[in-house]
Structures are given as structure tokens and as C-alpha cells.
Amino acid sequence: MKRLFATLAPICLLICTWPTSSIAASLTCEEQLQQLGANYATLKDIVETKNALLEAKVAELLTKMSLLETQMEQKDGEYTILEERIVNLERTQHGRTGGNLPVNNGAVARQLSGRSGIPRTCLEAHLIDPSLSSGKYWIDPDGQGVGDAPIYVYCDMTSGTTSILHDSEGPRDVGHCAEPGCYSRAVNYNASSRQMAALVELSAECHQSIQYDCNFAPFEFDDVSYAWWNNKDGNSEYFWAGSDASVHTCQCGIDGNCVDASLKCNCDSAAPIPLTDTGVITSKDILPISRLNFGRTQLQSSSGVHTLGPFECSGQTAIAGMPSSCEDLWRVGHSLSGLYSVIGNAMVESVYCDFTKLPNDAGFQNWIGFVDVKSSPIYFCVERSTPEYNQLGTPIPFDVIKLNIGGAMNIQSGKFTAPRTGKYFFTFTGLAKLPESSDGRRRLQIEIFKNGNSLDTRCYGDANGSTIETETMAMQSTLLLQAGDQIWLQIVDISSGAHVDGYLYTHFSGWLLEEDISQSLVVI
């Protein structure tokens, strides 16, 4: 104020000496100076007020510009998705009617050049043509000609990774709100849920990255969850890294280097400073993320920005040996529904595969029954033509071969050697000649032996009386044998003078009922 008076003093002196009106003349120089000071203060207040209003207006405009930029980015992303969906629809229409694929970049042209069909994954495309460079390609995970239309994805041909893009990949500010999950954003992918489910089934691993830049904006605070994400089925999940859904954690919690060692996420410290939590979610069975939810950012000093990566899958599920299910057939590329033979636990089985469905869908596979498949036919029928065999404790030999398909029966040794593991059926019929006896009972007992051990399967020739008698003997047995097991007939009890009658009355037969193919599969 003193500086003001010093500035105005010469002016006041001039005014005091200058002719004035009657009103001004009535005021002293000091009074006029005071009035000028008051007018200046009033003018200063008006200017400051207008400056404050102008600054507020500028701030409001900047906020609107920032919001407009965010909306423009979102619209750009949505436009890209829409553009790709339109091209996808054109691809479907042309593909179903046998037309040519509309080519919107050189990568697609290279992909289809010189070959028919669309690969199901980027890895498959790379295996078909290792010269392909990384870029956007058409793939059809659920199978060409069935299910949903092909999808347009980014392929990293170095790693064989398939990336499905979405409309929420750029940084997104969650704004300011107080309640749990008050900010909620649905994630829209450039693929149907069926195609993504098929990609998961075909891939060895799938993952999705998430980053949250926070300032006084926790995921959890005072045992209240303010943030979560929804899995592919819409269920809420509270872990932000790894695959253990039972533990609320971020990557720093897994690595043990969070800013607060007692917490599993940096943002949970609720510190009023910029912090970041990152993680890669690897539970492929519940991916991709379908929605993001955040809250507790009501303060002007609070902030939260999420960045969600694309849904990425790589590798392939290996099929060991021959297909054992419709799912195995689907994985190796079958897409025509119908009856198929697959490898069961011990036998070939017949199944109906509905390839218009996915492996986890009801009715994808219907079991029909067993298929009688044998690696080679095995059956025999032998006889004895020579009479009076009565050797105790040795295999009964034969000398007439009616059938011996597979060559498993050795008539000289009397032993059958199982060439394959499986179930076998054996039958024996014969005549026992029992001598005269004046002292009571006469007998002849034959048993089946396996590898030198009696199986307690026997037949008897047995009579009482003093005349020569002929008794019919018969027995059957179904046995589970391992390859290399030996079977034979043997006399274990015989009266003096008794014998097995020959003359083609004694027969021994057997054949393979069911082969255990699990023991004899040869993978070529």
C-alpha cells in the first residue's frame, strides 16, 4: 500500500493543483488518494475473480479433452473390432458358398497361397509353413466347415502363440467412485466363446496379463474386496497372478517383494503414492477375463488405471499313441461326425463322435460297443488216433491236427502256448477205458495245467463193477492268459489198467476270445 501511495502521490498533487469540479474541489488530496486506492482494490478483486473463473474453465476444458481422447481411443478399438467382424462375416459367407476369401492384407494372402483349408491355431499355421512371418491371420479352432466362423488373430510365428485381441487393451482410467466394483467394464473379444474354448482345448497353455496402476486405490482394504475380475463363465475371481484361485495375490506376492511384506499386492497398502501391480493369470480353464471391476477411488487423490493384455495360447496338447476318444480324434483334426474305432483299455471300441460340438459339450461322444479286433487269428483242434495213453504226470500228446491257425498248439509236446495276452476258451472230450475189477471202484482223472500248476479244472472216468467199461469225459474252461503262458492236459490219477482211448475219440480244442490289445499295440 505504501508503494501504491508513493506511486499515486505525484498524481494526487497534480489533481490538487488542477481545476476540478465543485465536488472534487470539496475533497482534499488525501481523500482523493484514498478513493483512488479503494477503486484500485475493487478493480483488483474483479480481475482476480475473473482469472479464477477462467482457470476453472480451462481446467474443465482440459478434463473434457482428456475424456474425449479416451472415448476416441475406445471408439477406435471398437471400430477395429467391428471392422474385423465385418471381414469375418464376409469370410463366412464366402467360405460357406465356396467363394474366395476377401484379402485385406498380405498376410492372409500368404496364408492361403498354394493350400486349402484354414489352420486351427497359429502354431499349426507355423508348422504348415515355417516361412510365415508374425502378423494377423485367419484361424478356425473349432474346425473348418463346422461350428462358428473363422476368427482373425495375431500370430507370433517365433513362439507359435495365438493372440485374441479385445477392446480393452489400452490403459483405462477407472475414474472416481467409492463402492466395491462401482467401475465395471465388459471385455469384448474378436472371437466367439466357442472359438476361444476350442483354442484352449487345442493349446498346451493359455494366459492373460493384467496391470493396475494405483494411487490410494487398493484391491482389498479392511477385509473388503473392492476389485475383482470375472472369468469366462462370469464367476468372480480375486487373484491377479498365477493359477491359485484360492489365494488373493499379485505377482509381488508370489515373488515376495511387495512394498508391504504383510500384503500380497502393492496396491493393497493403500499408500497415497503411485504404485503398480502386475501379473499373468495362467488358469487356462477359466480364461479369458470377461469383465473387470474396481472401486474405492472416491478421493480426488485416488486413481486407478488398468491395462489388460490379449488372450494368448501356445503349444499343443500331445496325443500319445493311437486315439482313445473322440477328443483325441478332434485334436488331430477330424471334423466329420460319424462312427469311429478308438483304443479302449484292453479292446478296440466303437464310438459316435459329434464334431459339431466341442469336447466338453454333452453328446460329443457316445459309446457304441466293443469291436472284435485281433492282431492275428488263433484257434486249434487236435485229436489222438493212437490208443491206450496212460502216462501219469506228463502232458497228453496228440497226433492229428484238424486245425492249428496261428501255430500255437504243439501236438508232440501236447502244450498250447498263448501268443497274445487275452481271454481264451478250451474244451476237451474223450473216452476213458476202465478195466475189470473185483475190488470196487475204478478211475481216471484228467486236469488242465497252466505253466505247471493245476487249475482245478478236471474230468473223471469212474465206475464200479467187475466188467470193462467206457466212460465219457468232458470239460471246458475260459482263461485269462498272458503272452507266453502254456496250457496242457495231464492225467493226475489212474487205476491200474485204465487208459485214455484213442481212435479219434479224444479231442482238445481252443481259441482266442478277446485279445488285450493294450499289450500288443505297435505305434508306427
Side-chain angles (χ1 to χ4, degrees):
M1 185 60 73
K2 288 181 179 180
R3 184 177 299 175
L4 177 62
F5 278 115
T7 304
L8 295 178
I11 300 174
C12 181
L13 180 60
L14 179 60
I15 292 173
C16 291
T17 60
W18 194 265
T20 59
S21 65
S22 59
I23 297 176
S26 65
L27 297 175
T28 66
C29 286
E30 184 178 353
E31 289 172 339
Q32 292 182 40
L33 183 61
Q34 290 176 349
Q35 184 175 354
L36 286 172
N39 291 342
Y40 175 79
T42 301
L43 181 60
K44 182 181 178 183
D45 290 341
I46 292 172
V47 171
E48 289 179 349
T49 300
K50 288 185 176 180
N51 284 340
L53 291 173
L54 184 59
E55 289 176 357
K57 204 71 174 178
V58 170
E60 182 181 355
L61 288 174
L62 290 174
T63 301
K64 288 182 178 179
M65 288 179 63
S66 176
L67 179 60
L68 182 60
E69 288 177 354
T70 301
Q71 291 175 343
M72 289 179 65
E73 290 177 358
Q74 179 178 351
K75 292 298 182 184
D76 287 343
E78 293 174 353
Y79 176 76
T80 300
I81 296 295
L82 180 60
E83 184 182 47
E84 292 176 351
R85 287 178 178 172
I86 291 173
V87 176
N88 198 359
L89 180 59
E90 292 176 353
R91 170 66 184 88
T92 303
Q93 293 171 344
H94 284 260
R96 299 296 188 258
T97 58
N100 295 323
L101 173 67
V103 178
N104 62 347
N105 65 18
V108 178
R110 289 195 306 274
Q111 174 185 326
L112 296 180
S113 175
R115 78 173 69 90
S116 61
I118 301 178
R120 297 190 295 171
T121 67
C122 291
L123 177 60
E124 186 175 307
H126 172 71
L127 295 175
I128 292 173
D129 186 354
S131 68
L132 290 174
S133 59
S134 297
K136 289 187 176 180
Y137 292 84
W138 288 101
I139 64 171
D140 199 352
D142 68 352
Q144 187 174 357
V146 297
D148 291 355
I151 57 177
Y152 200 44
V153 301
Y154 180 83
C155 292
D156 182 342
M157 292 303 182
T158 303
S159 61
T161 299
T162 302
S163 296
I164 298 181
L165 309 180
H166 56 79
D167 63 354
S168 303
E169 291 185 41
R172 306 288 176 181
D173 194 327
V174 305
H176 297 286
C177 62
E179 299 303 317
C182 51
Y183 168 89
S184 184
R185 180 181 178 85
V187 184
N188 299 305
Y189 293 86
N190 186 30
S192 66
S193 58
R194 174 189 170 93
Q195 289 284 36
M196 290 189 287
L199 179 62
V200 169
E201 291 289 340
L202 291 169
S203 303
E205 71 85 27
C206 296
H207 63 269
Q208 197 163 13
S209 63
I210 178 72
Q211 176 175 316
Y212 191 56
D213 299 303
C214 59
N215 190 329
F216 198 34
F219 297 118
E220 289 188 357
F221 190 76
D222 284 344
D223 296 326
V224 177
S225 296
Y226 288 91
W228 62 91
W229 55 275
N230 297 101
N231 62 28
K232 67 180 180 67
D233 298 318
N235 300 320
S236 299
E237 305 289 350
Y238 299 90
F239 69 105
W240 301 89
S243 60
D244 189 353
S246 66
V247 179
H248 167 69
T249 187
C250 300
Q251 190 60 44
C252 71
I254 296 174
D255 297 338
N257 56 7
C258 296
V259 293
D260 185 338
S262 65
L263 300 174
K264 296 295 184 180
C265 293
N266 289 322
C267 292
D268 286 348
S269 64
I273 57 174
L275 294 172
T276 297
D277 273 310
T278 61
V280 177
I281 299 166
T282 57
S283 297
K284 78 170 190 172
D285 293 335
I286 62 174
L287 289 173
I289 293 173
S290 61
R291 181 176 288 274
L292 292 168
N293 312 275
F294 297 94
R296 206 178 187 280
T297 56
Q298 69 272 30
L299 301 178
Q300 288 300 315
S301 59
S302 299
S303 66
V305 176
H306 65 76
T307 305
L308 181 64
F311 179 46
E312 299 180 310
C313 294
S314 62
Q316 60 183 355
T317 50
I319 304 300
M322 299 182 183
S324 61
S325 64
C326 292
E327 182 173 349
D328 286 351
L329 294 169
W330 177 80
R331 291 184 188 280
V332 298
H334 286 274
S335 60
L336 183 62
S337 298
L339 289 173
Y340 289 85
S341 294
V342 297
I343 300 300
N345 292 331
M347 297 182 65
V348 175
E349 298 178 6
S350 179
V351 293
Y352 178 81
C353 302
D354 185 354
F355 290 124
T356 64
K357 304 177 184 294
L358 292 181
N360 290 329
D361 294 341
F364 175 72
Q365 173 176 312
N366 290 293
W367 189 80
I368 303 301
F370 293 107
V371 180
D372 186 15
V373 174
K374 299 180 178 68
S375 56
S376 61
I378 301 168
Y379 49 93
F380 71 93
C381 177
V382 294
E383 300 174 347
R384 281 191 58 84
S385 63
T386 56
E388 300 185 7
Y389 182 81
N390 60 2
Q391 299 298 312
L392 187 66
T394 61
I396 300 175
F398 297 86
D399 51 15
V400 177
I401 297 177
K402 306 293 286 186
L403 289 169
N404 192 15
I405 305 302
M409 183 63 190
N410 186 314
I411 60 172
Q412 285 78 24
S413 67
K415 294 181 178 181
F416 171 86
T417 302
R420 302 284 182 181
T421 298
K423 294 178 183 176
Y424 291 80
F425 178 78
F426 298 94
T427 179
F428 167 76
T429 59
L431 291 178
K433 284 286 188 176
L434 303 176
E436 298 178 359
S437 175
S438 58
D439 58 355
R441 187 174 181 181
R442 297 156 293 166
R443 64 197 178 279
L444 191 156
Q445 179 179 330
I446 296 176
E447 295 184 4
I448 296 179
F449 278 71
K450 172 186 172 183
N451 299 331
N453 300 309
S454 172
L455 297 180
D456 291 328
T457 301
R458 57 182 65 92
C459 60
Y460 296 93
D462 153 68
N464 288 316
S466 59
T467 61
I468 298 175
E469 295 191 22
T470 301
E471 292 288 331
T472 301
M473 299 182 294
M475 59 180 168
Q476 297 84 33
S477 184
T478 302
L479 303 174
L480 178 60
L481 303 180
Q482 301 295 316
D485 285 347
Q486 291 188 320
I487 299 295
W488 64 83
L489 301 173
Q490 186 170 309
I491 298 174
V492 296
D493 189 15
I494 189 170
S495 297
S496 177
H499 61 267
V500 175
D501 200 0
Y503 298 113
L504 306 181
Y505 296 136
T506 300
H507 308 268
F508 185 34
S509 301
W511 56 89
L512 174 62
L513 291 174
E514 295 177 3
E515 181 176 343
D516 185 348
I517 59 172
S518 66
Q519 304 293 320
S520 56
L521 288 177
V522 177
V523 180
I524 300 176

